[in-house]
Amino acid sequence: AYFNEVFNFICQDSYMQPHLQPGSEKNEIIQVVRGALAVLYFDENGIITKETLLDAEKFDSIEVPAFTWHTYIMLSSEAITYECMNGIYDPATWKQFAPWAPSENSAEAKAYLETLTLKLQ
């Protein structure tokens, strides 16, 4: 399918490796259906450049431009997001992971998530 939709169910300590969508058609629209989270944006060196807080009670949504490094930080015990994006889904090319961030199942992931979370406070 060219138009892709997904619901993400996210627990509080979940870590999503910063990534970007590598295709000009892949602007990602994110709406929080339940809970709250922060979307962090990064530059090419992994420095946080912006943060956007999203809260389901405010019916918040954003659009993350293609080629923009980003990740989520949970602000509630759980969250559900609805995301949609254009583009042909292929797991090999759908997103590109940031080389400066630990992979999701690595030993360093938890410490990196804690570092990002502390920067919000």
Side-chain angles (χ1 to χ4, degrees):
Y2 186 79
F3 181 73
N4 295 273
E5 302 171 277
V6 66
F7 282 95
N8 289 315
F9 296 78
I10 312 165
C11 298
Q12 186 168 25
D13 293 329
S14 295
Y15 166 65
M16 179 185 302
Q17 183 176 356
H19 62 281
L20 57 73
Q21 273 67 40
S24 58
E25 76 284 6
K26 293 180 181 172
N27 293 331
E28 182 177 18
I29 298 171
I30 304 168
Q31 179 179 350
V32 179
V33 177
R34 179 177 182 165
L37 54 86
V39 178
L40 301 182
Y41 301 84
F42 303 88
D43 67 14
E44 292 295 323
N45 299 309
I47 305 300
I48 297 170
T49 59
K50 179 181 172 184
E51 60 187 58
T52 300
L53 306 180
L54 300 176
D55 189 329
E57 291 184 12
K58 298 177 182 174
F59 202 68
D60 283 342
S61 68
I62 59 164
E63 184 171 350
V64 178
F67 302 105
T68 302
W69 296 111
H70 63 284
T71 192
Y72 296 158
I73 301 295
M74 296 295 298
L75 301 176
S76 57
S77 61
E78 59 186 29
I80 300 171
T81 64
Y82 167 75
E83 299 179 13
C84 59
M85 184 181 335
N86 287 320
I88 302 297
Y89 178 74
D90 178 348
T93 61
W94 190 248
K95 61 183 167 181
Q96 177 182 337
F97 291 105
W100 37 260
S103 63
E104 292 171 358
N105 295 316
S106 70
E108 300 84 12
K110 183 176 181 181
Y112 182 69
L113 175 62
E114 289 172 0
T115 299
L116 293 177
T117 303
L118 287 173
K119 290 181 180 184
L120 287 175
Q121 301 170 354

